[in-house]
Amino acid sequence: IDNKIKQDKTLENAAAQLNRSLILPNDIYLRTKDCGEANAFYNPNEQSVTMCYELMEHFYRLYKTDGYTDDQAYESMFDAVRFVFLHEIGHALIDTYNLPVTANEEDAADRCSSFICIEELGDGGVKSILAAADAFRIESKSRTPTGRDLADEHLLQEQRFFNSLCMVYGSNPTKHSYIVEKNYLPEARAVRCPNEYERTAESWSVLLAPWRKD
């Protein structure tokens, strides 16, 4: 995994895209390492984002349990890692720019990741959102939420699955009409997704506007 991450420059390419777009008042350091657990996190004291190899392996094994081939599992793993990486970058931007967050920060970071994927990375970014959404779907089938899950600051995996699909569908309902046609997303939610995505995109555009290089 380490060799493939370096070879494909998965994180470097995503970071380079952000560097071309945003001014940072200070460096944010990016790390990949063994953490002893499947995790990824932003450390505000060190102003660093860490991606754990265990999380990457977790994604790979998760996709394999759902019938993915080796190549499909690897490809989806790196796509999902890009989404999680940008989720943690969302936390970093909120902290570095001291951005206001009026609701759950974990949800805000998810939506920041979706916004960057769609607006900055195009079709490759959409693949990342969909890969992460599929991971959320597979994980949700393997366990029943407990009280601890409900109390956690993260949304349930089922909610993250539908929210991710809503962002993709809402960004271009015509292009992504299959999401509703194949019943991945209930029509009752889908009709609100274009407005939901527009508000998300407008909010992040306004918040990041002072830091845009262009």
Side-chain angles (χ1 to χ4, degrees):
I1 291 175
D2 178 57
N3 288 335
K4 192 163 177 57
I5 278 282
K6 291 176 180 176
Q7 177 183 341
D8 292 354
K9 297 186 180 298
T10 303
L11 304 184
E12 289 94 332
N13 290 337
Q17 180 70 33
L18 291 173
N19 281 333
R20 287 193 290 270
S21 303
L22 297 172
I23 301 166
L24 287 173
N26 51 265
D27 288 340
I28 296 173
Y29 297 93
L30 312 179
R31 298 190 178 117
T32 53
K33 69 174 187 176
D34 291 315
C35 305
E37 62 177 345
N39 200 6
F41 53 91
Y42 169 67
N43 185 330
N45 296 320
E46 298 179 353
Q47 293 185 309
S48 65
V49 168
T50 298
M51 300 295 298
C52 303
Y53 290 124
E54 292 90 344
L55 179 66
M56 302 177 199
E57 185 176 7
H58 168 72
F59 279 138
Y60 172 77
R61 294 184 182 280
L62 197 65
Y63 294 126
K64 287 288 291 179
T65 65
D66 204 52
Y68 283 51
T69 66
D70 285 349
D71 289 343
Q72 289 171 334
Y74 263 116
E75 183 178 353
S76 293
M77 175 188 74
F78 287 109
D79 285 334
V81 163
R82 187 186 296 114
F83 177 88
V84 175
F85 169 69
L86 292 172
H87 169 99
E88 299 305 331
I89 288 293
H91 286 300
L93 296 180
I94 289 169
D95 177 58
T96 302
Y97 294 149
N98 195 26
L99 300 178
V101 177
T102 60
N104 181 295
E105 185 173 323
E106 293 296 336
D107 185 35
D110 268 358
R111 290 172 184 269
C112 177
S113 179
S114 294
F115 168 72
I116 294 174
C117 282
I118 292 168
E119 299 295 333
E120 302 288 346
L121 305 183
D123 288 343
V126 169
K127 278 186 61 183
S128 290
I129 300 171
L130 295 177
D134 214 26
F136 300 148
R137 175 189 64 81
I138 299 168
E139 286 183 326
S140 71
K141 294 193 302 182
S142 65
R143 59 176 300 180
T144 301
T146 64
R148 183 174 180 177
D149 295 318
L150 296 173
D152 192 81
E153 65 270 20
H154 294 85
L155 297 181
L156 297 178
Q157 299 299 64
E158 293 92 332
Q159 293 175 295
R160 299 180 78 185
F161 167 71
F162 288 118
N163 285 347
S164 297
L165 292 185
C166 187
M167 290 292 98
V168 172
Y169 177 77
S171 69
N172 192 329
T174 301
K175 183 176 181 178
H176 304 296
S177 60
Y178 68 92
I179 291 177
V180 176
E181 292 167 358
K182 294 187 176 181
N183 296 317
Y184 297 144
L185 184 67
E187 190 170 346
R189 173 73 184 278
V191 296
R192 299 195 297 273
C193 291
N195 184 58
E196 193 171 328
Y197 179 76
E198 183 180 355
R199 288 195 173 194
T200 296
E202 182 179 359
S203 297
W204 278 104
S205 294
V206 169
L207 289 172
L208 297 179
W211 307 99
R212 287 280 187 184
K213 286 185 176 179
D214 56 359

